[in-house]
Amino acid sequence: MRATLFLPVFLILGFHLMSCQVDPDDPAIVGPEPEPRVNYLGRDSITTGDYRGIAINTSTNETFEILEGYRKNKTVVYLGAVNNYFADVTDLKDRLQFFDWLVLEQTFDTPDGVQLLLASGKVKSIRLNNGTQLSQWPQAAGLQKAIATGDALEVLYAKLVVLSNSQDYKHKFQRVVLGAKYDYALYDPKKAELPWAFIYDTRSQGITEQARVYFQDKKVDYILVDRFQQY
């Protein structure tokens, strides 16, 4: 997803590498994509030491607390961990409570893609990828069918099932994505081994760093950091 997601990017300066190696091959882009005119600087693969206070062999709980501290201090804002793509809306049942946003698309990153921000067991806000804020979606649908701000998650799920089977709206369900803060891996053992990904920018240097923290046996195994610089 691009930076059209709900959360803005805050910056954090400086990082510590006790031991790393550079691997410039084929970086995997996570979270919002960098701007089109960028220069790829390379990749650090950190297997010992630490990166921004996240040390190798740190537990998932401790890592989460470190990242939460960054978020609370507004030095880092999470743009989402590993995205979860679904082809069948029924797979969302009992999962919505662990996620922070839901995106409905027919293809990748369309202007009218629908973003639902989820918080406190409800739909907090609705907007399109182009930035248009909505009170309900679809706008032309009746209140019984349309997803509205304030809908409880069980109501949201029921409406998603109905809309996904509607001839008028099922095309918006070709690409369903759930995104979350890092705490989702604490709840779901199946996701616990997936990397936690975040992005920050050292604006003074014009460098964007995309970091992924990989776990094994609920401890930090290694960290990959891809660096980009705008032209």
Side-chain angles (χ1 to χ4, degrees):
M1 303 304 296
R2 296 187 182 179
T4 50
L5 292 178
F6 296 104
L7 302 177
V9 177
F10 286 87
L11 309 180
I12 179 170
L13 299 178
F15 60 92
H16 302 281
L17 302 178
M18 296 292 291
S19 175
C20 65
Q21 62 185 24
V22 177
D23 177 8
D25 297 331
D26 300 324
I29 306 302
V30 296
E33 296 175 352
E35 294 298 322
R37 294 180 59 82
V38 296
N39 180 36
Y40 178 58
L41 301 179
R43 173 183 295 170
D44 288 331
S45 179
I46 303 163
T47 57
T48 62
D50 70 277
Y51 173 79
R52 294 191 177 275
I54 303 172
I56 302 302
N57 291 323
T58 299
S59 70
T60 52
N61 286 350
E62 292 174 305
T63 302
F64 176 68
E65 290 300 323
I66 292 170
L67 293 174
E68 274 292 281
Y70 289 156
R71 183 184 66 82
K72 290 176 181 177
N73 293 331
K74 297 186 177 180
T75 51
V76 168
V77 170
Y78 304 150
L79 299 179
V82 173
N83 288 336
N84 290 266
Y85 297 82
F86 298 89
D88 191 332
V89 169
T90 59
D91 290 334
L92 302 180
K93 189 175 183 180
D94 300 324
R95 289 179 178 266
L96 293 172
Q97 61 181 314
F98 300 130
F99 291 83
D100 302 301
W101 47 267
L102 171 67
V103 179
L104 306 176
E105 292 265 25
Q106 64 265 35
T107 56
F108 182 79
D109 206 12
T110 60
D112 60 349
V114 183
Q115 300 181 24
L116 307 175
L117 182 63
L118 312 177
S120 302
K122 296 180 180 180
V123 177
K124 183 176 181 180
S125 65
I126 306 170
R127 65 181 287 182
L128 303 181
N129 283 348
N130 63 15
T132 302
Q133 199 76 31
L134 305 177
S135 60
Q136 71 169 56
W137 181 87
Q139 291 176 282
L143 292 178
Q144 295 300 314
K145 180 185 291 187
I147 299 166
T149 54
D151 279 351
L153 294 184
E154 57 269 22
V155 174
L156 169 61
Y157 174 73
K159 290 181 176 180
L160 288 170
V161 172
V162 171
L163 290 167
S164 67
N165 288 300
S166 167
Q167 290 297 323
D168 293 329
Y169 305 112
K170 67 179 183 179
H171 64 286
K172 297 301 295 183
F173 291 82
Q174 294 177 25
R175 184 175 180 271
V176 178
V177 182
L178 276 173
K181 294 186 297 186
Y182 298 102
D183 55 355
Y184 82 100
L186 303 180
Y187 302 127
D188 189 347
K190 293 181 180 179
K191 299 289 192 297
E193 301 298 322
L194 295 179
W196 295 353
F198 58 94
I199 297 175
Y200 62 88
D201 216 339
T202 55
R203 289 192 185 277
S204 62
Q205 302 173 25
I207 296 174
T208 297
E209 296 190 354
Q210 302 188 20
R212 285 168 291 158
V213 182
Y214 288 79
F215 296 91
Q216 185 172 0
D217 298 326
K218 297 186 178 181
K219 292 184 178 181
V220 176
D221 188 31
Y222 63 98
I223 304 170
L224 296 182
V225 182
D226 290 304
R227 293 184 172 85
F228 302 83
Q229 186 173 39
Q230 292 191 23
Y231 287 97

